[in-house]
Amino acid sequence: MTTARPVRLGPRSVLALALVSAVGVVAFGWPLLADPGSGLAHSADAPWLFAALLPLLVAVVVATIADSGMDAKAVAMLGVLAAVGAALRPLGAGTAGLEPMFFLMVLSGRVLGPGFGFVLGSVTMFASALLTGGVGPWMPFQMLSMGWFTMGAGLLPGAGRLRGRAEVLMLGAYGAVAAFAYGTIMNLQGWTYIGGMSSGISFRPGDPVHDNLVRFLAYCAATSFGWDLGRAALTVVLTLTIGSTVLKALRRATRRAAFEAPVAFEGAVAFEGAVGPAGAAASGGAGPVASGGPVASEGPADPGPAPDPGRGPAGTPPG
């Protein structure tokens, strides 16, 4: 059985998502190709990127509304899930990367689809940053990365067919890989401007891409591997233990919301109540159907007197 989804990606939605993703790839990756004399750093360009990404994210929402009619029920579900995700993020208190929010994002993206997932991931990260005071030049990068993270769960195969243990195992594997990917992408954002590190793993503008990538992998192993491992482990554990229950709850809520239920209108009611048989009797059997409407027929012609039962068919004497 195919699950109804609150946002169906149309051409404009896909184009907007592609545009946002292209800007994000450039924003994360351009320092590897920057000229050493340019003096560019993410600490300087991130506020401008933030100002550019937010309108694009809004454009994604507008495009999805225009393409698929994101109604009030979808907006309400978006608000509820974003609030829950923002509340879950501080529960780990930053301990070893234990962030239960990632578990909810994986399952929500799976059930609600890639379009809704991208918007949900971005809005949730924005709300959690406001809640925890984590507003800074890294926030637009977090929003984009979490949007990709949640959207990827919606792009997994078998959305309408795969159920049960196989689906839970697939989501657990995706959660583990995506948790490491999220940490690696965010490391690329911070590695370019965090100074004071060992020269063997520091970013060196203008060096060959291969050399910088080797130093970047060493930087990830030395600084964030433990955090990414904790995030991936918690996501897998929560998915395997309570993932099935949460998936059923999300799908039940989606079915009850009836996002794709067709809107049906009752047929037009004829104006016969006022001029039906009772109305005709009250007016002597004649008169207009309605004010300004056509005049009703005067009825059949007078058939004349009833035939005499003592006479024949043509009025002739019997026999």
Side-chain angles (χ1 to χ4, degrees), residues 34-48:
D35 185 81
S38 63
L40 297 175
H42 274 273
S43 57
D45 72 81
W48 297 101

Side-chain angles (χ1 to χ4, degrees), residues 211-264:
D211 294 343
N212 269 327
L213 284 178
V214 171
R215 283 192 287 269
F216 173 66
L217 293 177
Y219 171 84
C220 292
T223 60
S224 69
F225 179 79
W227 291 79
D228 297 339
L229 181 61
R231 181 189 301 116
L234 181 62
T235 302
V236 171
V237 169
L238 291 177
T239 302
L240 296 181
T241 52
I242 61 175
S244 179
T245 302
V246 176
L247 285 172
K248 290 178 182 178
L250 288 172
R251 287 183 171 125
R252 186 182 307 113
T254 304
R255 285 194 300 269
R256 290 183 177 179
F259 293 112
E260 297 178 353
V263 179

Side-chain angles (χ1 to χ4, degrees), residues 6-319:
V7 174
R8 290 288 182 180
L9 290 180
R12 283 173 291 183
S13 303
V14 173
L15 180 61
L17 283 171
L19 180 60
V20 172
S21 298
V23 172
V25 170
V26 173
F28 279 107
W30 68 261
L32 294 175
L33 305 176
D35 185 81
S38 63
L40 297 175
H42 274 273
S43 57
D45 72 81
W48 297 101
L49 177 63
F50 191 22
L53 277 179
L54 281 184
L56 290 174
L57 292 174
V58 173
V60 172
V61 180
V62 173
T64 53
I65 291 174
D67 277 343
S68 58
M70 189 174 178
D71 58 11
K73 294 179 289 186
V75 174
M77 180 169 285
L78 173 66
V80 170
L81 290 175
V84 173
L88 286 175
R89 190 183 181 197
L91 292 183
T95 304
L98 300 179
E99 297 173 283
M101 177 184 71
F102 287 82
F103 149 76
L104 179 63
M105 294 298 103
V106 170
L107 301 186
S108 299
R110 171 65 173 176
V111 174
L112 300 170
F116 190 93
F118 182 85
V119 177
L120 174 63
S122 301
V123 172
T124 302
M125 188 58 72
F126 179 75
S128 67
L130 297 180
L131 181 64
T132 60
V135 179
W138 54 84
M139 187 171 71
F141 297 95
Q142 289 178 329
M143 292 173 60
L144 186 59
S145 300
M146 185 56 68
W148 287 338
F149 181 94
T150 313
M151 180 176 67
L155 294 173
L156 293 174
R161 303 179 305 276
L162 189 61
R163 293 291 185 271
R165 194 65 179 173
E167 182 183 33
V168 172
L169 290 174
M170 180 185 69
L171 292 176
Y174 170 80
V177 174
F180 277 100
Y182 174 86
T184 302
I185 292 174
M186 288 306 301
N187 284 338
L188 183 59
Q189 172 265 328
W191 174 60
T192 57
Y193 66 85
I194 295 178
M197 302 298 295
S198 171
S199 60
I201 60 175
S202 297
F203 171 64
R204 297 180 184 178
D207 275 14
V209 175
H210 176 267
D211 294 343
N212 269 327
L213 284 178
V214 171
R215 283 192 287 269
F216 173 66
L217 293 177
Y219 171 84
C220 292
T223 60
S224 69
F225 179 79
W227 291 79
D228 297 339
L229 181 61
R231 181 189 301 116
L234 181 62
T235 302
V236 171
V237 169
L238 291 177
T239 302
L240 296 181
T241 52
I242 61 175
S244 179
T245 302
V246 176
L247 285 172
K248 290 178 182 178
L250 288 172
R251 287 183 171 125
R252 186 182 307 113
T254 304
R255 285 194 300 269
R256 290 183 177 179
F259 293 112
E260 297 178 353
V263 179
F265 297 94
E266 295 182 358
V269 180
F271 293 96
E272 295 179 355
V275 292
S283 59
V289 174
S291 177
V295 177
S297 172
E298 295 293 338
D302 187 3
D308 188 346
R311 306 181 72 84
T316 57

